[in-house]
Amino acid sequence: MLSRFCNTGWRVLLFAKSTHTGSTTSCNRRFLSQSSRLNYRKPFSASLIRGERDKKQPEGFPEKDDHEKHVNSEENDKSNEQPIRKTEETASSQNDTTPQDGEEDGEASAGSIPEVYPQLMVLPIMRRPLFPGFYKAVVTKNPVVSAAIKELVKKRQPYIGAFLLRDEDKDTDVITDIKQVYPVGVFAQITSIFPAKNAGENALTAVLYPHRRIRITELIPPKSTQEAVKANVKDIENEQQEETKEEEEPEQPHQSAEDSTALLPNKDEQSLLVPDENTPGGTPPSTSSSVPKNDYLPLQNASAILKNFNVSLVKVQNIPKEPYDRQDPVIKAVTSEIVNVFKDIANLNPLFRDQIANFSISQSTGNVFDEPEKLADFAAAVSSGELDELQQVLEASNVADRLQKALFVLKKELFNAQLQSKISKDVDQKINQRQKEFYLMEQLKGIKRELGLETDGKEALVTKFRERTKDLRMPPEVEKVFNEELSKFQHLEPVASEFNVTRNYLDWLTELPWGRKTTENFNLERARTILDEDHFGLKDVKDRILELVAVGKLRGTMQGKIICLVGPPGVGKTSIGRSIARSLNREFYRFSVGGLTDVAEIKGHRRTYVGAMPGKVIQALKKVQTENPLILIDEIDKVGKSHQGDPASALLELLDPEQNSAFVDHYMDVPVNLSSVLFVCTANTLDTIPAPLLDRMEVIELSGYVLDEKINIAKGYLIPQAKEACGLKDTNINITDGAIKGLIRYYCHESGVRNLKKQIEKIFRKMSFNIVKKMGEEKLPEEAGVTKEGSEALEAQSEQVSEHATSFKPRVPIKIPEVINLTITDNDLKDYLGPATFLSDRLYDITPAGVVMGLAWTRLGGATLYVESIVKNKLTSSSQPSLERTGQLGDVMKESSLLAYSYVRSLVAKRFPDNQFFQKAQIHLHCPEGAVPKDGPSAGITMATSLLSLALNMPVAPDIAMTGELTLTGRILRIGGLREKAVAAKLSNVKKIIFPKDNLSDWEELPPYVKVGLEGYPVEWYEQMFDIVFPTATYEKCNSLWPELLKEDTVQKSSRVTAVVN
């Protein structure tokens, strides 16, 4: 991880030197030369350290603090005001003999920087490369790497290779593959080390100063064995113990001349340590006698120093500087452009201005144009460019190419600075404009108040709230809350954030109809008339509503009633709620909870939330302005559930007559009496409604419509509505009863009438199209349907007075001539609706053996479900029995099929012992419409009958349908949805229906028009229905089936007996 050097970078270094003394510091003192100390007093970049490289802040130079200026002043006096050399140059000799206490750890003069250092420890850098001449602080978390850095400083060889990681998101101190880093990096010197804060116990901060560009030639990966890691940890502990001992011992005086001579490098080693005078890296170190000779140690191999450390090493080579002509016009032009861009950025960004100023100071009296390569590095160092772009600048050895790449990066920085400046100006302009408008509005309000033209807006609101409460009868607890909130509102300033919150709350509190109720009508005859006008059939629902009307007439109120209408889609559950409200003279409000997952939709939001609102029930009361409306809660069986709560649980309080007299909404936070509200809920099924919620409602089931009901609904309701919707209200256009029957039989098989309504509207739409097309514009002119207002709007639009001229009533209906007289018969249905969807009332007109009609319940109502079974193999004495099932059956139906198979085998074995069908037959059982998932236990007797029909080779009559759950012993259990199943059987022209005896009460409750032509057979055991399904079956006929099996079995027995005798 990296952290940033800020403008107090010198203070960080001074803190490091003051907090790290002892043997390491002493060693560094002996290593440092005077010229080194002068070199590191130059300004340095406030660059990113490794923990914060992702921020991509530009590197720069801090201002010199007072201490630095004072030190530089003294040094300049001692050196006869000789200027400080640049980063890569050697400082001249000084009169000081040794570094003073507190100098930076690991510092070395530029003159002592080796020109050739072929092997280095590699330190991967994240997200920003290092550039020569600009400081960078890095943090190492790897304890082995931290110990290796300390060892390098201790051995007075504080040099590493810093290379940029290719993966921006990877943070590591050790590399194992040369492809993990870019090949070009920098040769960096460790100038200071100190413990890192908040980065771990073994984390270390090292300040690096890059000197030159280098290239990796070979990677020496770290040790990877566990023993090597353990040895490294042990060595680290030993080194720490030795350092502790050295700190406890007093500092020894300087060594003798003989000792010093022993430490001096030999001739070859000195050639590596001291650069030549002509090298661009600087001048030779001072040979003044005041500098201790032991400041220079022989150059050791990094692998020798770090042999006990599990770190990455690399072999490198210096990247030579390509010669260039400073007077080259391209170089001069690009350099000038970079300087101009710097000026532009400095005008936009004060941070860049300070960094450029410090860079100019670091160049002393030299001309910045004289060192374009330094200018290019500086441009890249202070820019927050992309990783690849900055690396390209570092890798460019050609100065002209490097300047071009640096200019590109700097131009992007200028664009970002301009964009930031523009955004800042726009925001400032908007803020100033709003402040100006606010100031002028306040002045205007003050003038109007002085002239008496307008009262204070807050006082007007208070007056409005008080006027509203005069016509309300608030409960005492609500009135107390109102007075408290109103008093708080009067003391709030309009600019306060609480002002609008309190205002909205008072608005809701005074908009509710406290104490207001509509006068209900409990006339039984009127209620019956209205219900019959709107709906045909639905006797159970109508009788229940009339009972409520009678009770309300005697009690004077209808409190605490929650009704749940359950039935398939399209049977009129939602529309009957509106009819109930009209018959009782109550206001009607409907909202759906299908898919609702947020409790706040029922209970409201807390007022502390932005945009908070009450729940749906409070919104309903505000809209209808009465305390006793009829609220229809639609799709209550489809309530969702999420992390925002369970709305079904929130409905418990709402739909409980014992609790909703004091319903508390989260927003209102006061009790609201909902006991006078009549709640009507609708659902398609009861299975998904939670049991506690279902227990609070009175369930009324609505079955599907039979053929006669659909015909009456179509004639009395759907056809008149469709004619009016298609503009054929007062025309002689009709549909015959035969056409309606054909429409229901061949196009609309569902239990409801929604699809029937769509098909009827489709017929009348096509009739309207044919009439308009046939009569044309002569008999139905366009002007006949345009009003005077519409004509004026068209004229204004044609004269281009207004592009989109409008009017309140642009058109009126066009009356069709009375000569139009059309009648739709069943033969015309194909022309209007296309080919028939259902060609027959049932799938099989004549059922073969193994095919039986069952009855199923779905959310869309009842449906017929056929079960088919066949024999897959030729029955022989060597056949093996099996059972295969298809048809996308659910787990319950699969178990029912196995149960039916086992029961039928036992039944045949018991009643017809010579029938060996199940001992040899490979049976395939299938339920048609394989794309439709099927599940449920009620198909048990149907599957058993199908298998038995196959075994006895007797077909079942096509007009027999059955439903019931079968047990392993043959008992037939109760099922659900008998009403819907009976309707589906009647639509399929079924004559006999077999159902469990436990459902006899449900059969008796069926309306007479459903049971007409339908004969019911309640059974308790499967053997009771055997004679109903197979009336012609006899013992002899069923027992002697499959004679070839019996014959082969007899022959085999005789053969076995003969073999035994012989």
Side-chain angles (χ1 to χ4, degrees):
M1 297 294 292
L2 297 179
S3 50
R4 168 172 283 279
F5 261 115
C6 61
N7 288 338
T8 59
W10 272 105
R11 298 188 183 93
V12 174
L13 293 179
L14 291 175
F15 170 78
K17 72 179 183 180
S18 63
T19 55
H20 287 75
T21 58
S23 61
T24 305
T25 307
S26 300
C27 177
N28 293 334
R29 288 180 186 149
R30 290 193 298 270
F31 176 76
L32 293 174
S33 66
Q34 177 192 12
S35 57
S36 170
R37 289 185 280 118
L38 287 174
N39 179 48
Y40 292 113
R41 290 196 180 108
K42 60 177 288 186
F44 56 86
S45 165
S47 60
L48 293 172
I49 63 174
R50 296 179 66 219
E52 299 176 351
R53 274 181 262 177
D54 54 317
K55 296 183 180 177
K56 296 186 178 180
Q57 299 183 2
E59 300 178 356
F61 295 94
E63 293 287 358
K64 294 185 179 181
D65 56 15
D66 295 338
H67 172 74
E68 180 188 357
K69 294 178 180 178
H70 177 68
V71 173
N72 286 341
S73 177
E74 292 181 354
E75 295 294 344
N76 290 334
D77 292 339
K78 294 179 181 180
S79 59
N80 296 323
E81 300 181 352
Q82 182 178 356
I84 299 173
R85 306 286 280 174
K86 294 187 287 293
T87 304
E88 292 288 343
E89 296 178 351
T90 306
S92 63
S93 302
Q94 303 298 324
N95 296 326
D96 297 343
T97 57
T98 57
Q100 302 297 323
D101 292 340
E103 281 295 330
E104 290 80 354
D105 297 342
E107 291 184 356
S109 67
S112 64
I113 303 302
E115 181 183 359
V116 178
Y117 207 111
Q119 195 173 89
L120 292 167
M121 184 183 86
V122 62
L123 187 63
I125 307 297
M126 287 182 62
R127 293 192 177 92
R128 279 187 74 85
L130 274 64
F131 290 92
F134 300 97
Y135 283 89
K136 173 78 77 172
V138 299
V139 176
T140 60
K141 291 185 177 180
N142 191 318
V144 179
V145 176
S146 300
I149 292 175
K150 292 180 181 179
E151 182 69 13
L152 290 174
V153 173
K154 180 179 178 182
K155 297 295 185 181
R156 285 167 284 177
Q157 300 293 333
Y159 307 115
I160 63 171
F163 295 88
L164 181 65
L165 282 167
R166 293 182 182 271
D167 189 353
E168 297 184 23
D169 299 325
K170 188 174 183 180
D171 186 7
T172 179
D173 295 333
V174 178
I175 62 172
T176 57
D177 188 355
I178 197 172
K179 295 182 180 180
Q180 291 181 252
V181 295
Y182 287 94
V184 176
V186 293
F187 175 82
Q189 179 181 356
I190 305 171
T191 64
S192 178
I193 58 173
F194 48 89
K197 295 182 179 180
N198 302 325
E201 181 179 357
N202 297 316
L204 183 70
T205 299
V207 182
L208 306 181
Y209 182 78
H211 286 281
R212 59 178 177 267
R213 290 169 168 81
I214 57 176
R215 183 185 303 275
I216 297 179
T217 59
E218 182 181 350
L219 171 67
I220 304 175
K223 304 174 185 178
S224 58
T225 61
Q226 189 67 23
E227 291 77 13
V229 174
K230 294 180 179 179
N232 289 341
V233 175
K234 185 175 181 181
D235 292 340
I236 294 170
E237 294 176 352
N238 294 335
E239 293 290 343
Q240 293 176 350
Q241 292 176 1
E242 292 177 3
E243 291 178 3
T244 305
K245 292 179 180 180
E246 291 181 3
E247 291 176 358
E248 295 175 354
E249 295 177 358
E251 185 175 351
Q252 299 297 328
H254 291 300
Q255 296 176 347
S256 63
E258 296 178 0
D259 297 334
S260 301
T261 304
L263 293 174
L264 284 174
N266 56 34
K267 184 176 181 180
D268 296 335
E269 290 171 338
Q270 289 182 12
S271 65
L272 293 176
L273 181 63
V274 182
D276 189 75
E277 290 184 1
N278 299 325
T279 60
T283 59
S286 174
T287 57
S288 174
S289 59
S290 61
V291 180
K293 294 182 180 181
N294 62 354
D295 274 1
Y296 300 94
L297 289 181
L299 181 61
Q300 302 182 43
N301 195 332
S303 61
I305 299 176
L306 305 176
K307 62 181 179 179
N308 294 326
F309 294 87
N310 191 27
V311 295
S312 302
L313 302 177
V314 290
K315 293 182 180 180
V316 298
Q317 62 182 11
N318 294 337
I319 298 178
K321 295 183 179 179
E322 295 184 8
Y324 65 94
D325 184 8
R326 296 181 179 179
Q327 302 302 321
D328 183 90
V330 175
I331 293 178
K332 292 180 66 177
V334 177
T335 304
S336 178
E337 179 64 19
I338 289 177
V339 174
N340 291 334
V341 174
F342 270 130
K343 292 179 181 180
D344 295 338
I345 299 178
N347 294 330
L348 298 173
N349 193 335
L351 177 61
F352 269 79
R353 189 183 307 121
D354 296 340
Q355 293 170 339
I356 295 169
N358 284 316
F359 175 69
S360 300
I361 294 173
S362 70
Q363 300 303 311
S364 184
T365 59
N367 190 353
V368 70
F369 290 93
D370 293 340
E371 295 198 23
E373 71 278 9
K374 189 71 175 180
L375 183 63
D377 287 344
F378 172 69
V382 298
S383 301
S384 58
E386 297 295 333
L387 180 146
D388 294 337
E389 297 172 352
L390 298 177
Q391 181 65 24
Q392 289 176 10
V393 176
L394 181 65
E395 293 179 359
S397 58
N398 183 274
V399 175
D401 187 33
R402 188 188 307 173
L403 285 170
Q404 293 281 0
K405 288 181 169 59
L407 178 60
F408 175 76
V409 174
L410 203 60
K411 282 284 188 179
K412 292 182 66 175
E413 193 70 29
L414 175 60
F415 175 77
N416 293 336
Q418 291 174 343
L419 182 60
Q420 180 182 356
S421 177
K422 180 180 181 300
I423 294 173
S424 178
K425 288 180 180 179
D426 293 343
V427 173
D428 292 341
Q429 184 178 1
K430 290 180 181 179
I431 294 175
N432 294 334
Q433 181 66 23
R434 291 179 181 178
Q435 290 177 345
K436 180 180 178 181
E437 292 176 356
F438 176 77
Y439 177 73
L440 294 176
M441 289 299 297
E442 290 298 320
Q443 283 186 327
L444 181 61
K445 290 179 182 179
I447 294 172
K448 288 185 176 182
R449 280 197 300 269
E450 291 295 330
L451 296 176
L453 300 177
E454 183 181 275
T455 60
D456 189 8
K458 184 168 64 175
E459 293 298 328
L461 289 173
V462 172
T463 303
K464 181 180 70 172
F465 292 146
R466 292 192 183 277
E467 289 294 330
R468 286 180 181 177
T469 57
K470 290 182 180 180
D471 299 331
L472 301 176
R473 293 183 181 179
M474 290 184 175
E477 58 271 20
V478 178
E479 188 173 1
K480 179 181 178 181
V481 173
F482 169 75
N483 293 330
E484 291 175 354
E485 292 292 328
L486 189 63
S487 177
K488 181 176 71 174
F489 178 74
Q490 290 175 321
H491 293 84
L492 290 174
E493 292 297 329
V495 295
S497 59
E498 190 74 12
F499 181 84
N500 287 328
V501 175
T502 307
R503 173 184 174 179
N504 292 337
Y505 178 67
L506 289 172
D507 190 44
W508 276 99
L509 204 60
T510 55
E511 282 287 343
L512 293 183
W514 302 103
R516 292 180 179 175
K517 296 181 180 180
T518 56
T519 303
E520 296 175 283
N521 192 320
F522 294 136
N523 189 321
L524 280 178
E525 295 301 326
R526 177 180 177 275
R528 186 187 298 276
T529 301
I530 292 175
L531 293 175
D532 290 339
E533 286 178 357
D534 296 341
H535 293 82
F536 182 84
L538 303 179
K539 184 176 182 301
D540 293 345
V541 181
K542 294 178 180 179
D543 290 344
R544 184 68 185 93
I545 299 304
L546 293 177
E547 292 172 4
L548 291 177
V549 172
V551 174
K553 189 168 188 176
L554 297 178
R555 291 188 58 198
T557 181
M558 289 179 59
Q559 293 184 350
K561 302 302 178 185
I562 294 95
I563 301 173
C564 182
L565 305 177
V566 181
V571 296
K573 299 184 298 296
T574 303
S575 59
I576 199 171
R578 194 182 301 273
S579 300
I580 295 172
R582 191 161 70 93
S583 64
L584 297 176
N585 194 32
R586 288 194 176 209
E587 296 293 331
F588 178 77
Y589 185 87
R590 171 196 169 273
F591 69 92
S592 176
V593 294
L596 189 68
T597 59
D598 192 357
V599 175
E601 293 292 329
I602 305 297
K603 298 278 290 182
H605 302 82
R606 302 287 182 184
R607 292 203 302 273
T608 54
Y609 297 145
V610 177
M613 290 184 65
K616 287 290 187 181
V617 180
I618 302 299
Q619 296 178 33
L621 296 180
K622 178 183 177 181
K623 182 177 181 180
V624 299
Q625 286 298 304
T626 177
E627 277 191 342
N628 62 339
L630 186 148
I631 298 179
L632 179 72
I633 304 177
D634 217 352
E635 309 293 351
I636 199 171
D637 59 325
K638 301 175 182 64
V639 178
K641 186 176 182 181
S642 69
H643 65 280
Q644 295 174 324
D646 184 7
S649 300
L651 289 171
L652 293 177
E653 179 185 2
L654 182 65
L655 301 180
D656 192 341
E658 302 298 329
Q659 300 182 39
N660 61 13
S661 59
F663 176 76
V664 178
D665 185 271
H666 289 161
Y667 182 87
M668 303 304 299
D669 205 22
V670 292
V672 180
N673 186 5
L674 301 178
S675 60
S676 299
V677 179
L678 177 59
F679 290 100
V680 178
C681 307
T682 67
N684 295 126
T685 178
L686 299 177
D687 298 339
T688 56
I689 301 177
L693 182 60
L694 186 62
D695 184 61
R696 287 164 168 77
M697 299 184 293
E698 182 178 351
V699 178
I700 301 177
E701 294 186 359
L702 282 73
S703 60
Y705 296 112
V706 295
L707 179 63
D708 295 340
E709 289 179 311
K710 288 186 175 182
I711 293 174
N712 285 283
I713 292 172
K715 293 171 62 177
Y717 303 94
L718 302 182
I719 292 177
Q721 293 174 6
K723 289 177 66 176
E724 184 176 0
C726 296
L728 304 174
K729 182 178 180 180
D730 298 323
T731 58
N732 296 324
I733 300 176
N734 298 298
I735 300 178
T736 63
D737 292 350
I740 298 175
K741 289 182 179 179
L743 182 62
I744 296 170
R745 178 171 297 175
Y746 301 115
Y747 294 92
C748 308
H749 259 200
E750 74 283 352
S751 300
V753 294
R754 185 170 291 139
N755 190 37
L756 179 61
K757 179 180 179 181
K758 294 178 183 178
Q759 299 298 335
I760 292 175
E761 288 178 350
K762 186 176 181 180
I763 292 173
F764 281 108
R765 282 198 308 270
K766 291 195 174 183
M767 293 181 68
S768 299
F769 173 76
N770 293 334
I771 290 173
V772 174
K773 182 179 179 181
K774 183 177 181 180
M775 299 186 68
E777 289 294 327
E778 297 180 358
K779 297 182 179 179
L780 299 175
E782 177 66 16
E783 294 78 9
V786 182
T787 62
K788 184 179 180 181
E789 294 180 6
S791 301
E792 294 175 354
L794 287 175
E795 292 177 2
Q797 186 173 351
S798 62
E799 295 175 0
Q800 298 183 353
V801 176
S802 175
E803 184 178 356
H804 298 288
T806 59
S807 60
F808 291 101
K809 191 176 181 180
R811 300 189 65 90
V812 293
I814 297 178
K815 187 177 181 180
I816 296 177
E818 296 182 356
V819 296
I820 301 297
N821 189 352
L822 296 174
T823 301
I824 305 297
T825 63
D826 53 350
N827 297 326
D828 300 327
L829 293 178
K830 186 175 182 180
D831 297 334
Y832 289 97
L833 302 178
T837 306
F838 306 98
L839 300 178
S840 176
D841 293 331
R842 46 178 177 257
L843 186 61
Y844 288 94
D845 292 330
I846 300 176
T847 55
V851 177
V852 181
M853 181 193 296
L855 298 173
W857 178 93
T858 66
R859 293 188 178 185
L860 302 178
T864 57
L865 176 66
Y866 281 91
V867 176
E868 304 172 337
S869 58
I870 61 171
V871 181
K872 298 193 298 181
N873 65 320
K874 181 180 179 181
L875 298 179
T876 63
S877 59
S878 60
S879 300
Q880 297 295 326
S882 65
L883 176 65
E884 182 180 357
R885 300 155 298 175
T886 56
Q888 202 170 349
L889 307 180
D891 293 338
V892 178
M893 287 194 71
K894 288 180 180 179
E895 291 182 357
S896 297
S897 62
L898 292 176
L899 191 147
Y901 182 71
S902 299
Y903 173 74
V904 171
R905 289 191 65 171
S906 66
L907 179 65
V908 171
K910 180 175 66 175
R911 298 190 62 171
F912 313 108
D914 293 337
N915 190 326
Q916 301 183 18
F917 175 80
F918 288 108
Q919 280 75 22
K920 306 296 181 180
Q922 297 178 4
I923 302 173
H924 185 172
L925 186 143
H926 176 70
C927 294
E929 297 184 15
V932 180
K934 309 170 189 67
D935 204 3
S938 61
I941 64 173
T942 309
M943 292 179 174
T945 305
S946 174
L947 296 173
L948 190 59
S949 170
L950 196 63
L952 301 181
N953 198 23
M954 291 184 179
V956 179
D959 59 352
I960 295 180
M962 59 193 67
T963 178
E965 179 180 357
L966 182 66
T967 67
L968 198 58
T969 59
R971 176 71 185 269
I972 301 177
L973 303 181
R974 179 184 179 89
I975 47 87
L978 181 62
R979 186 187 186 98
E980 289 77 10
K981 293 176 180 179
V983 172
K986 189 172 180 65
L987 291 175
S988 298
N989 287 334
V990 171
K991 305 300 182 183
K992 299 178 181 180
I993 178 172
I994 301 173
F995 57 89
K997 189 176 182 180
D998 295 340
N999 289 98
L1000 185 60
S1001 58
D1002 298 333
W1003 173 263
E1004 293 176 349
E1005 291 179 359
L1006 290 177
Y1009 57 83
V1010 175
K1011 294 190 290 185
V1012 171
L1014 193 62
E1015 188 176 357
Y1017 292 90
V1019 292
E1020 186 176 4
W1021 296 89
Y1022 186 83
E1023 293 187 4
Q1024 296 176 1
M1025 58 178 290
F1026 185 86
D1027 295 335
I1028 303 173
V1029 178
F1030 305 107
T1032 60
T1034 62
Y1035 176 80
E1036 292 78 11
K1037 183 177 180 180
C1038 296
N1039 201 38
S1040 60
L1041 286 172
W1042 321 110
E1044 63 279 2
L1045 293 180
L1046 183 61
K1047 181 178 179 181
E1048 292 178 1
D1049 189 58
T1050 304
V1051 171
Q1052 290 178 357
K1053 288 182 180 179
S1054 300
S1055 301
R1056 287 197 294 270
V1057 170
T1058 304
V1060 170
V1061 171
N1062 295 335

